[in-house]
Amino acid sequence: MVVSIVGIGLLGGSFALGVREKYPKMRFIGVDTSAVNCQLALAKGLVDEILPLDEAIAQSTLVVLATPVNIIIDLLPTVLDLLPPGATAMDLGSTKGLICDVADAHPKRAQFVAAHPMAGTENSGPGAAFKELLIGKNLIICDREHSSPDSLTLAESLFRDIGMRLFYMTPQEHDLHLAYVSHLSHISAFALGLTVLEKEKDEQAIFDMASTGFSSTVRLAKSSPQMWAPIFDQNRINVSDALAAYIEFLQHFKQVIDDQDVTTSLDFMKRANVIRRVLDGIEKR
C-alpha cells in the first residue's frame, strides 16, 4: 500500500509515523512546497521519498491532505481529478463545511473521506511530528454516507489501528462544536498573548513573573498563524457567535469586579468549576 502525505507537518507527519509503527512495510510519499520540510521529513523517516503532486497521486492507494484548510479547498478538486480508480483521498482539516461542499460537487466524491483528528500541539512542521500524537484521541468523520464503503473502511481501519476513537457528525455539527471547544480557545490564547505583550513591554519581566498557569493558558498563542487564520475565516459565522457569547461573559465578569461584587464573582467561578467534571470524564475515556 502506498500513502501520499500532502503537507508534511505536525498532523500529517504524526499520522505517517503512527501508521508506519503498525505497518512498517507501508510506503509513504511526501508532497510539500517547502524544500526544508521535505528534507526534514526524509531525515526523520516520516516519508520514504518526495514527489510532485501528480506523480505521487498516480502511485497512491491513499492520498492524505494535511495542509492548512484554505489549501485543502484549492487542492481537493485536482487531487480528486487525478485520483486513480479504487484509490482514496481524505483530509485532516479542522473545518469541514466548505471542504465537504467542494467534495460534494466532484464526481469522485465517493472516493473521499472527510476526517478531523482532534489532536495537535502548539508546534508545527515535520520536526514537531511524533508517533504517539494520535493515540487515544478522537477522530471525527463527516458525511460518512457520502463515502464509498471501501474508502470509508480504509480510513476507519487506519485510524483505529493507530489508537483513535471514531465519531461521526455532519459538517455543520462539526464546525459548530469546534468553534466552541477548539477555535475559541485558540482565539483566547492569541488575544491574551497580545494583551500581555502590549501592556508588559519589558519582556524579561514577563519571563521572570510568568507562572506555569500563565504558560499553560497562553500556550496556544504559539500555534501557526498560517494554519489558524484560514480556520477562523472558513468557520467565521460559528466563531463569531462563539466570540460574542464569550465577550458577553467577559463584560459581565468585568462589571462584577468593578462593582466589587465578590458574591457574584464566586458564583461565576463555582459554575465554571463544573468543567472539571467534564474534563475528568474526557481523560478517563
Side-chain angles (χ1 to χ4, degrees), residues 124-203:
S124 58
F130 59 102
K131 65 183 180 183
E132 298 87 3
L133 176 66
L134 302 178
I135 297 175
K137 303 299 194 308
N138 295 338
L139 182 282
I140 300 171
I141 292 178
C142 292
D143 282 349
R144 60 175 166 174
E145 67 277 6
H146 294 184
S147 302
S148 72
D150 288 345
S151 290
L152 182 63
T153 298
L154 173 62
E156 290 174 330
S157 299
L158 289 177
F159 285 123
R160 286 195 179 105
D161 287 345
I162 58 179
M164 300 200 77
R165 298 186 294 258
L166 273 57
F167 296 86
Y168 303 91
M169 294 181 182
T170 67
Q172 295 74 27
E173 289 170 335
H174 171 278
D175 288 357
L176 174 61
H177 297 327
L178 266 292
Y180 285 88
V181 301
S182 175
H183 305 169
L184 182 59
S185 59
H186 281 79
I187 292 175
S188 299
F190 286 125
L192 177 59
L194 282 172
T195 301
V196 172
L197 289 172
E198 281 296 310
K199 294 299 181 182
E200 294 284 353
K201 299 298 184 181
D202 183 352
E203 293 189 15

Side-chain angles (χ1 to χ4, degrees), residues 35-215:
V36 173
N37 282 357
C38 291
Q39 292 172 1
L40 189 53
L42 287 169
K44 284 197 64 174
L46 306 183
V47 297
D48 300 300
E49 63 179 318
I50 302 293
L51 289 176
L53 181 66
D54 56 345
E55 293 182 31
I57 294 174
Q59 302 179 38
S60 296
T61 313
L62 174 66
V63 178
V64 181
L65 292 171
T67 65
V69 291
N70 58 319
I71 299 176
I72 292 175
I73 292 289
D74 292 340
L75 285 180
L76 185 54
T78 299
V79 170
L80 291 175
D81 285 344
L82 297 171
L83 199 65
T88 295
M90 71 178 184
D91 81 291
L92 305 182
S94 295
T95 62
K96 281 289 163 279
L98 290 178
I99 291 172
C100 286
D101 285 346
V102 171
D104 288 345
H106 199 280
K108 292 184 182 177
R109 173 60 180 88
Q111 292 178 250
F112 174 72
V113 178
H116 178 201
M118 295 287 292
T121 72
E122 71 275 21
N123 302 311
S124 58
F130 59 102
K131 65 183 180 183
E132 298 87 3
L133 176 66
L134 302 178
I135 297 175
K137 303 299 194 308
N138 295 338
L139 182 282
I140 300 171
I141 292 178
C142 292
D143 282 349
R144 60 175 166 174
E145 67 277 6
H146 294 184
S147 302
S148 72
D150 288 345
S151 290
L152 182 63
T153 298
L154 173 62
E156 290 174 330
S157 299
L158 289 177
F159 285 123
R160 286 195 179 105
D161 287 345
I162 58 179
M164 300 200 77
R165 298 186 294 258
L166 273 57
F167 296 86
Y168 303 91
M169 294 181 182
T170 67
Q172 295 74 27
E173 289 170 335
H174 171 278
D175 288 357
L176 174 61
H177 297 327
L178 266 292
Y180 285 88
V181 301
S182 175
H183 305 169
L184 182 59
S185 59
H186 281 79
I187 292 175
S188 299
F190 286 125
L192 177 59
L194 282 172
T195 301
V196 172
L197 289 172
E198 281 296 310
K199 294 299 181 182
E200 294 284 353
K201 299 298 184 181
D202 183 352
E203 293 189 15
Q204 185 60 45
I206 296 175
F207 179 79
D208 291 340
M209 300 300 292
S211 66
T212 54
F214 173 77
S215 297

Side-chain angles (χ1 to χ4, degrees), residues 241-278:
D241 289 344
L243 268 174
Y246 185 46
I247 290 168
E248 183 178 348
F249 271 111
L250 288 175
Q251 290 173 332
H252 193 178
F253 213 149
K254 178 183 182 302
Q255 190 62 54
V256 166
I257 292 170
D258 290 344
D259 293 343
Q260 297 183 292
D261 186 351
V262 176
T263 300
T264 302
S265 177
L266 282 169
D267 179 63
F268 266 25
M269 289 182 280
K270 287 177 181 177
R271 286 162 56 195
N273 278 169
V274 174
I275 202 70
R276 180 192 301 274
R277 186 174 72 245
V278 176

